[in-house]
């Protein structure tokens, strides 16, 4: 199993408050796609995946207007 640092950013679309709630966790998984889908398995979610040049993997989620970004960096 691979170990990752996972950064979670809850993006606020409100024009008066552009602050982000950010959390960092260490996780272990062999399948990042399944891991992210399992986090929101009971909700309708649109997921876009992006692999960065440095090897990190970014998932952009839209949960009916709530935007979340997960960034995974292998450790």
């Amino acid at each position: 199993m691979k170990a990752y640092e996972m950064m979670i950013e809850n993006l606020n679309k409100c024009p008066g408050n552009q602050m982000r709630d950010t959390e960092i966790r260490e996780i272990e998984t062999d399948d990042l796609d399944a891991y992210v889908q399992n986090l929101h398995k009971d909700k309708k979610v649109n997921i876009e995946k992006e692999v960065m040049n440095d090897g990190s993997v970014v998932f952009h989620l839209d949960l009916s207007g709530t935007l979340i970004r997960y960034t995974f960096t292998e450790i």
Side-chain angles (χ1 to χ4, degrees):
M1 221 174 253
K2 293 182 180 179
Y4 294 91
E5 177 184 87
M6 176 176 79
M7 183 168 59
I8 306 163
E9 298 174 272
N10 291 305
L11 308 172
N12 189 338
K13 294 189 339 183
C14 178
N17 182 2
Q18 293 298 315
M19 298 300 293
R20 295 182 182 157
D21 292 329
T22 304
E23 179 181 346
I24 296 176
R25 299 180 191 168
E26 288 188 13
I27 61 122
E28 291 184 356
T29 185
D30 285 326
D31 187 345
L32 289 174
D33 296 291
Y35 183 84
V36 171
Q37 288 177 349
N38 192 48
L39 291 173
H40 302 283
K41 62 184 172 190
D42 296 332
K43 299 176 183 166
K44 183 179 178 184
V45 60
N46 180 30
I47 300 174
E48 294 181 23
K49 179 180 176 181
E50 184 178 10
V51 179
M52 308 306 285
N53 289 337
D54 65 358
S56 61
V57 180
V58 181
F59 290 87
H60 304 274
L61 283 71
D62 184 345
L63 291 103
S64 301
T66 300
L67 304 177
I68 301 174
R69 179 170 42 223
Y70 294 107
T71 304
F72 294 90
T73 306
E74 192 170 351
I75 51 177

